[in-house]
Amino acid sequence: MGFCPCFGDETSEVPLADRDPVLLVSGMGGSILHSKPKKFGFTTRVWVRISLADLEFRKKIWSLYNPETGYTESLDKKSDIVVPDDDHGLYAIDILDPSWFVKCVHLTEVYHFHDMIDMLVGCGYVKGTTLFGYGYDFRQSNRMDKLMDGLKLKLETAYKASGGRKVNIISHSMGGVLILCFMSLYRDVFSKYVNKWIALACPFQGAPGCINDALLTGLEFVEGFESFFFVSRWTFHQLLVECPSIYEMLANPDYKWKKKPEIQVWRKHEKDGNVIVNLESYGPTQSISVFEEALRHNELKYNGKLMPVPFNLAILKWATGTRQVISNAKLPDGVSFYNIYGTSFDTPFDVCYGSEKSPIEDLSEVCQTLADGLEAVERVGVAAEHRGLLHDKTVFQLIQKWLGAEPVVSKQSKTSKVADTYAINPMVL
């Protein structure tokens, strides 16, 4: 099928190379999620999909947090949310909507680890032997047993499949928070199986601008015309308000920020019959009151019933415990750490709502409108967008250097197949 533009050329063979195993770990929204009936019926992909995306998302994946179990549980009690483990875990984090249509039109917005997987294969890595992926239910807390057990099993599998070689982890975004939790809770296991950890755009001290805005107005996975075919911002918002993983990425209030992240709101007040407009700012601790007030009327409609979904203080309490777990994470001796962070600032640090001419009177109206602390071998800033780091040529060059894995020459081509992206000079600190 190498002649078909929809599926690409898979006829070239890359020689086997002497490589330590690599495990790719996705971040928030970076794993395919399936809805699997508990008794019988068809399994449905609910994230990511183009056809009936918003409808299936509302029906199958909307969830509420259960403080007794610590898990976010789907409102659809007839099915479970599962992550496919096909292709040694790589399928779930490769192309998030792997339909023939997406491949034919080359809708790169949902090409997640795809180009990096191609790059590593071009460097001689073999799926199932020296190349693995770990996708997970990103709704859940980053320290839940199911996620920790799944990561432990994947590390053991990679270690054994490669003949007892230690694993090199490449994590993206919230995947780095997952690794920090694992490193803190299972330090001995981490030390036994891990050789190097390369973190891409990890929110070590939280992702204040992005998460603050996600809790208040939602999250849009793609922008522009394509967004009409995906889950709507507000539909995603109703899920995120009940996701511990989101609360765990709020700004760390105990971190010594050079400039504290803020939520800014142009507020309108009346005093003695006069209208007063001023800009109010809320730091990491004060922002909690903004979330509480802004989300006090928030509710979702499921199966004809209205359910209140305010800011969840039970999740906030759990997330505070997670922040303590993260703060206790220490890099074990013998494990090398590398940090790549984006410098394009496409994710906002502060967020501002309203304007001086159009101030907000009631905060409920808002909902309608990297410091790692680890001893790093190297830290590099790359001028690329948050998800763009996953297919950036400079990032690929850094990964190849740190892994000691240059592209190998295939039997049918004298050039390695690496994603065609802009070459940008890195800023090394």
Side-chain angles (χ1 to χ4, degrees):
M1 292 178 52
F3 62 90
C4 179
C6 297
F7 298 95
D9 184 1
E10 298 182 356
T11 58
S12 61
E13 297 181 14
V14 177
L16 295 177
D18 185 28
R19 301 286 185 241
D20 291 330
V22 166
L23 175 63
L24 305 176
V25 181
S26 63
M28 180 69 193
S31 304
I32 290 175
L33 299 182
H34 285 168
S35 176
K36 183 179 180 181
K38 291 182 177 180
K39 293 184 177 180
F40 56 86
F42 294 103
T43 296
T44 306
R45 177 162 36 85
V46 291
W47 179 259
V48 172
R49 59 181 294 142
I50 293 179
S51 174
L52 302 176
D54 207 65
L55 176 63
E56 292 293 340
F57 195 92
R58 291 169 181 252
K59 186 168 61 176
K60 299 291 186 181
I61 200 174
W62 263 356
S63 313
L64 292 178
Y65 177 71
N66 185 340
E68 295 183 1
T69 65
Y71 286 94
T72 284
E73 301 171 354
S74 300
L75 292 174
D76 177 20
K77 301 304 180 183
K78 296 180 180 179
S79 59
D80 294 318
I81 297 299
V82 297
V83 180
D85 197 37
D86 308 62
D87 204 16
H88 312 286
L90 295 166
Y91 171 84
I93 65 173
D94 188 341
I95 299 177
L96 299 184
D97 182 343
S99 63
W100 65 267
F101 174 77
V102 167
K103 294 179 180 179
C104 279
V105 301
H106 201 62
L107 189 60
T108 56
E109 284 80 359
V110 295
Y111 279 41
H112 205 53
F113 271 100
H114 180 73
D115 291 338
M116 188 176 294
I117 292 171
D118 276 358
M119 180 272 289
L120 291 169
V121 170
C123 289
Y125 289 88
V126 179
K127 296 179 181 180
T129 302
T130 53
L131 183 57
F132 301 83
Y134 184 56
Y136 52 93
D137 185 351
F138 51 79
R139 300 174 303 161
Q140 310 297 344
S141 165
N142 286 285
R143 61 182 170 104
M144 291 307 292
D145 291 342
K146 287 183 180 179
L147 275 63
M148 296 288 93
D149 291 345
L151 180 56
K152 179 182 178 182
L153 178 60
K154 190 64 69 171
L155 286 170
E156 290 176 344
T157 300
Y159 178 81
K160 293 176 181 178
S162 61
R165 292 189 171 200
K166 285 192 173 185
V167 183
N168 297 322
I169 297 175
I170 301 176
S171 65
H172 178 248
S173 191
M174 191 181 76
V177 177
L178 183 77
I179 299 301
L180 281 171
C181 289
F182 189 87
M183 188 167 68
S184 178
L185 296 172
Y186 300 93
R187 182 179 175 85
D188 291 343
V189 177
F190 192 88
S191 180
K192 177 181 179 180
Y193 291 123
V194 178
N195 178 33
K196 298 177 181 179
W197 172 27
I198 300 173
L200 306 179
C202 176
F204 288 97
Q205 304 300 336
C210 176
I211 298 305
N212 290 346
D213 195 39
L215 281 171
L216 290 170
T217 70
L219 184 66
E220 201 165 44
F221 190 71
V222 297
E223 298 178 353
F225 175 75
E226 292 88 352
S227 65
F228 290 100
F229 299 99
F230 288 84
V231 176
S232 73
R233 187 182 186 98
W234 187 250
T235 298
F236 215 150
H237 172 267
Q238 299 298 66
L239 173 72
L240 299 181
V241 174
E242 290 290 306
C243 287
S245 57
I246 288 293
Y247 289 64
E248 289 168 348
M249 290 191 290
L250 286 167
N252 181 4
D254 299 322
Y255 181 67
K256 295 181 179 179
W257 301 90
K258 290 184 178 179
K259 176 190 177 300
K260 284 195 173 184
E262 297 178 331
I263 294 177
Q264 299 175 334
V265 185
W266 284 98
R267 298 291 301 275
K268 181 173 71 173
H269 305 279
E270 287 192 20
K271 185 177 182 180
D272 300 329
N274 297 319
V275 175
I276 301 174
V277 176
N278 49 32
L279 181 63
E280 298 180 357
S281 298
Y282 305 85
T285 301
Q286 296 77 21
S287 295
I288 302 304
S289 64
V290 178
F291 299 136
E292 288 186 280
E293 188 175 349
L295 295 169
R296 70 188 186 278
H297 299 312
N298 187 46
E299 57 186 14
L300 59 80
K301 187 175 183 180
Y302 187 81
N303 283 345
K305 297 180 180 180
L306 284 175
M307 301 180 183
V309 190
F311 182 71
N312 197 315
L313 294 176
I315 298 181
L316 180 64
K317 181 179 179 181
W318 176 274
T320 301
T322 301
R323 174 53 60 187
Q324 185 59 49
V325 169
I326 293 172
S327 67
N328 292 335
K330 304 296 181 185
L331 195 70
D333 293 338
V335 178
S336 301
F337 171 69
Y338 304 82
N339 187 5
I340 296 178
Y341 55 93
T343 61
S344 67
F345 301 107
D346 62 306
T347 301
F349 184 70
D350 298 324
V351 288
C352 183
Y353 301 98
S355 67
E356 188 171 9
K357 292 183 178 180
S358 300
I360 289 173
E361 188 169 2
D362 190 316
L363 278 179
S364 63
E365 299 173 28
V366 169
C367 296
Q368 302 169 21
T369 58
L370 288 134
D372 51 67
L374 303 174
E375 186 175 344
V377 176
E378 197 169 349
R379 295 183 181 87
V380 181
V382 175
E385 296 179 349
H386 187 70
R387 293 204 312 272
L389 290 170
L390 292 176
H391 53 79
D392 183 86
K393 186 175 181 179
T394 299
V395 171
F396 289 175
Q397 291 171 344
L398 290 167
I399 288 175
Q400 290 169 5
K401 181 181 75 170
W402 293 336
L403 296 181
E406 296 299 323
V408 296
V409 179
S410 70
K411 295 179 180 179
Q412 298 190 15
S413 173
K414 293 186 178 181
T415 58
S416 63
K417 184 178 180 182
V418 180
D420 184 17
T421 51
Y422 295 100
I424 305 174
N425 293 326
M427 178 175 67
V428 182
L429 298 181

